[in-house]
Amino acid sequence: MQSFTEENYLKIIYHLSQDQNPVQTNAIADRMQTKAASVTDMIKRLAEKELVDYVKYQGVTLTPQGAKTAIDIVRKHRLWEVFLVEKLNFKWDEVHEVAEELEHIKSNLLVERLDAFLEFPKVDPHGDPIPDKNGNFAALSFIKLTKLKTNDEGTITGVSEHSSPFLKHLEKLGLTLGKRIKIIEVIDFDGSVELQIEGQKIVISREVAKHILVSK
């Protein structure tokens, strides 16, 4: 049985491993907002439980058991986010912190009944895929908005930044899931993007655009 802190570490290692594997301890420390020495202590504890493999100066990888635990936590987190938005009328920028608490509930029966109650959703309110009870993710096809060229069109299917200020900003602009957009121009000077959505033209920065995921 893992503590909440251990589960949080496993989840963060899992997310970071999507971009770098092995995961560097400094990257974990940055994400956890803690000292590298504290991370090293926790990694050693997880290694003793055979949840991670750790090689000094090389980094951390999840063992099969560690990966299973991490994916189970991700599954619970994303299912709870769907529940909060669809059934309790939370906004998509309000659910992350609540789901952070709910993801640590241990009852597998509750999670499976939650999944069935929600009719087995494939994605959460931010467009992130929800693994099934066997840890399998639905195949999703999307690219960053910054990969689109002038006159390209696409549908917003997800975001890679989940902070409340960012999501509120997107909602203010009308850039929410399912919206159809068309690229009018990509500004050479700073990479900002002029696009059309529902008959209106807006300009977003490259920093915003790189966190919006679309399907063509």
Side-chain angles (χ1 to χ4, degrees):
M1 185 75 69
Q2 291 80 44
S3 68
F4 289 3
T5 302
E6 289 171 339
E7 289 185 343
N8 285 336
Y9 267 84
L10 292 172
K11 182 180 67 171
I12 285 172
I13 294 168
Y14 171 78
H15 286 311
L16 290 173
S17 70
Q18 307 307 299
D19 296 319
Q20 56 168 277
N21 203 22
V23 177
Q24 302 303 307
T25 54
N26 285 339
I28 301 170
D30 288 343
R31 185 68 68 90
M32 294 291 293
Q33 297 183 329
T34 190
K35 296 178 180 178
S38 298
V39 172
T40 301
D41 289 342
M42 176 58 75
I43 294 306
K44 290 179 179 177
R45 187 188 309 173
L46 294 173
E48 289 174 359
K49 293 187 174 184
E50 300 184 347
L51 295 169
V52 302
D53 289 321
Y54 173 57
V55 180
K56 195 173 182 179
Y57 304 124
Q58 293 186 26
V60 184
T61 56
L62 293 170
T63 64
Q65 181 58 43
K68 181 182 184 304
T69 301
I71 291 171
D72 283 346
I73 298 164
V74 169
R75 169 173 162 75
K76 287 186 283 187
H77 183 100
R78 294 177 180 175
L79 283 172
W80 282 118
E81 287 194 337
V82 174
F83 176 78
L84 291 167
V85 169
E86 291 190 358
K87 306 303 180 182
L88 298 185
N89 299 317
F90 279 71
K91 294 182 179 179
W92 71 338
D93 61 281
E94 297 174 328
V95 295
H96 182 71
E97 289 186 0
V98 181
E100 287 272 292
E101 299 179 25
L102 293 169
E103 70 187 21
H104 297 293
I105 291 174
K106 303 298 183 183
S107 172
N108 290 327
L109 179 60
L110 173 61
V111 175
E112 298 316 316
R113 290 190 176 178
L114 176 65
D115 193 18
F117 177 68
L118 296 171
E119 299 181 344
F120 308 103
K122 301 299 184 186
V123 296
D124 72 8
H126 310 108
D128 293 319
I130 300 173
D132 63 20
K133 63 182 180 181
N134 297 315
N136 300 313
F137 290 83
L140 302 178
S141 177
F142 49 72
I143 59 174
K144 291 183 178 181
L145 189 150
T146 48
K147 297 294 184 181
L148 298 183
K149 309 295 184 184
T150 300
N151 293 322
D152 282 352
E153 297 186 23
T155 300
I156 299 174
T157 54
V159 293
S160 58
E161 167 62 57
H162 295 170
S163 69
S164 182
F166 178 74
L167 296 174
K168 286 180 178 178
H169 181 60
L170 290 191
E171 190 160 343
K172 184 177 179 180
L173 295 172
L175 297 173
T176 51
L177 300 192
K179 293 294 181 67
R180 191 75 180 166
I181 61 169
K182 179 178 181 179
I183 305 301
I184 305 301
E185 183 182 4
V186 179
I187 312 300
D188 290 336
F189 173 65
D190 60 0
S192 57
V193 181
E194 182 181 8
L195 54 84
Q196 181 174 303
I197 177 170
E198 297 183 337
Q200 295 186 328
K201 293 181 180 179
I202 62 173
V203 177
I204 60 175
S205 69
R206 177 176 176 79
E207 184 65 22
V208 169
K210 76 179 185 180
H211 291 299
I212 298 176
L213 307 174
V214 300
S215 59
K216 297 185 71 174

